[in-house]
Amino acid sequence: MKHIGITIMLCLCTMMAWAQGRNLELNDVLRGEFTPRNIYGVTPIPGDGEHYSQMNQERTQVIKYSFKTGQQVEVLFDVATARDCPFKRFDSYEYSPDGLTLLIATESESIYRRSFKAVYYLYSLRRNTSGQIRNAVERLSDGGPQQAPVFSPDGSMVAFMRDNNIFLVKLLFGNSESQVTEDGQRNAIINGVPDWVYEEEFSMSRAMEFSADSKMLAFIRYDESKVPTYSFPLFAGASPRYNEYAKYPGAYTYKYPKTGEANSRVEVRTFDIQSKVTRTMQVPLEEGAYIPRIYFTKQPDQLAIVTMNRHQNRLDMYMGNARSTVCKLVLRDESDTYIKEEVLDDIRFYDNNFSFTSEKSGFNHLYWYTLQGNLVKQVTAGNYEVKEFLGYSPADETFYFTSNEESPLRKAVYKVDKKGKKTKLSQQVGVNNALFSSNMKYYLNRYTNLSTPTLITLNDNNGKVLTTLIDNAELKQKLAQYNMPKKEFFSFTTSRGTQLNGWMMKPANFDASKKYPVLQYQYSGPGSQQVQDQFSVSWETYMASQGYIVVCVDGRGTGGRGADFEKQTYQNLGVKEAQDQVAVAEYMGQQPYVDKGRIGIWGWSYGGYMTLMSMSEGTPVFKAGVAVTPVTDWNYYDTVYGERYMRTPQENPDGYKAASAMERADKLSGNLLLIHGMADDNVHFQNAAEYAETLVQKGKQFDMQVYTNRNHSIAGGNTRQHLYTKITNFFNQQLKK
């Protein structure tokens, strides 16, 4: 009876423990055990509004699916069955504009955030009389890896960049290859792909386009010869490994224009494919100004060129003749502060019109212009933001977009018809992201909210759900087995009278009678949003499960609330944002369940910068902080981003001084862990090195972790495990005492 009783007691204890739920483990979170299933690489097939394609998980097939049913239709490409296929897997693919040829990337080698070079292969999808694909693989070029390839509209040619020069392959002439430019030189002249700062800050990876009739090629030429260089050391390391530096370290040197320094000199050139004549477009451009986009319109020879002045508060669009080179100004958008980079992605050209978004009303809205630059209509209006322009259907003159009309924390899919009637297509409240078919008849919707992992559906253009592709039911069941902290929204008003939005996670076993340590997470950069109605299980979730109250608040300067709120920090980065993070700590310290003597703050990149600025604001509310890859002085960051918000150091010396973490280092209060990768091409290690030296000379003690060979993401091998374990241990030591 005793043994039976013990057995029963053990079972009861086990059941009680199970009922209470399992605790989160850091390794499980970092391994992505709680990351929702998703669908990646969905590509609407050009010229076919009924289907999309995906690469399979093994990267061996391109599979065609129905937009209506989500069911597999056929395998378009398979490495196992394709003739003359020299590779066993591939990295990515893209279609020709007519959808009849695949360009398949293999042996991809990353360059910067968006750029890479690869060995490309061609695969025709044209069918014979019996409906079969020819099924043969052809190498695009034998001259070495290629970068940023682009098809001509008729699918007969591919242009690409190699060694800073543009090459042209004519597919109808035995893949004959010719060289378009010859002046390309590393760290001097780049043709057809952007330099570092254009790629990073204007979200570009290619700068060449074919004309609508496939007779002309236009490209941007970057002369970066006068841009100062930056070098960072490389060691043998482990992940990545550089065997050539096993005994003596090496270095990587590239052009990086820091605030106030010289930008690349840019110009637009056109190449007549038949006559082989190269011309330079007559585009008015001030010294140091930018050409962030070029587009050929649907009209042959008509080239749209978008320019921005160095201050980035004036955007001009010119229509130029690719042969005569004459350009005419057709659109100008101006701001008292700056024009956001995101508007560039909303410029789309149709037969006789183009779309454009602007904040000139105080909120980002959609406008419709003729090719001559005449405003046809303002498509959207109101005290909300259009987040993305999704496309236009010429058949019924309908516009599709997402907006945050319901709440700055949420995003929904809408359409506006030719009479101006607006219809909400997404039905669930939270964050919705849509990808439309090429004919705008269907869309794939990704939906999430705080409690709902990613839900992916196929819908028609009236919003009707046709099928569900992923519901993450298994993840929901898995989460139910854990003591999972719950996110909840809150808002408060600072002593300066600003209402701020935030989320909070309390431990699953929260007891209001206890006093908890607080961990503030933030990014805080201009236009960013961390407080949104979307699901995630992150390191912050793990920390909440370990007995922290975790909060995140979007302060002044962040996005979703219109231009007035977002642009309050113009020419004065870091000051108001730091005040707001201090205000968050003060607000939390007033809560009866918070130990105000145990509040920490952390962030990555701009969030790391804000950690330093907040801990040095002059109000000692933070006991500890972790700054990962922070900017420490805007003199060390690039022209496009830094000057967009601050102008140049020469124009705004007081603003740069006030925005410098080093200038207020003597006020640093609390225990600091400073983390940086030495091979960070974005936020240079120089930031951490100079800040650390400043702290040393100020007599300020701190901890520091350096990762060799790591870029801005600080990843590779066991690096992320080491990084987050380091941060976890640091906060536990500082805030759990």
Side-chain angles (χ1 to χ4, degrees), residues 62 73 88 92 148 275 283 317 327 387 542 663 673 684 712:
V62 176
V73 176
K88 295 183 178 180
S92 61
S275 68
V283 184
M317 181 186 293
C327 297
K387 305 304 291 183
Y542 168 75
E663 289 289 336
L673 172 59
H684 296 151
H712 198 57

Side-chain angles (χ1 to χ4, degrees), residues 403-411 529 560:
S403 83
N404 65 358
E405 183 173 354
E406 295 175 315
S407 163
L409 312 184
R410 300 183 175 99
K411 186 164 63 172
Q529 279 189 268

Side-chain angles (χ1 to χ4, degrees), residues 4 17 64 94 97 125 174 183 219 221 286 329 341 352 390 450 478 509 517 519 545 573 614 661 704:
I4 294 173
K64 181 179 180 179
E94 57 188 280
L125 297 174
D183 59 347
F219 60 94
R221 179 182 184 270
E286 302 169 6
L329 179 67
E341 171 260 331
N352 300 299
L390 299 172
L450 286 187
K478 186 175 183 177
N509 57 352
L519 181 59
S545 77
L573 286 182
S614 301
M704 189 169 183

Side-chain angles (χ1 to χ4, degrees), residues 373-420:
N374 299 315
L375 178 63
V376 178
K377 60 181 173 182
Q378 181 175 341
V379 181
T380 63
N383 293 338
Y384 64 89
E385 296 180 342
V386 169
K387 305 304 291 183
E388 301 102 7
F389 172 55
L390 299 172
Y392 170 74
S393 172
D396 55 5
E397 301 178 44
T398 300
F399 300 87
Y400 297 86
F401 59 93
T402 59
S403 83
N404 65 358
E405 183 173 354
E406 295 175 315
S407 163
L409 312 184
R410 300 183 175 99
K411 186 164 63 172
V413 184
Y414 295 86
K415 69 177 181 181
V416 171
D417 66 19
K418 60 183 178 182
K419 295 181 180 180

Side-chain angles (χ1 to χ4, degrees), residues 683-701:
V683 181
H684 296 151
F685 180 69
Q686 174 190 23
N687 286 270
E690 296 289 359
Y691 184 73
E693 176 64 9
T694 301
L695 291 181
V696 169
Q697 298 307 320
K698 298 288 184 182
K700 297 283 185 178
Q701 293 294 319

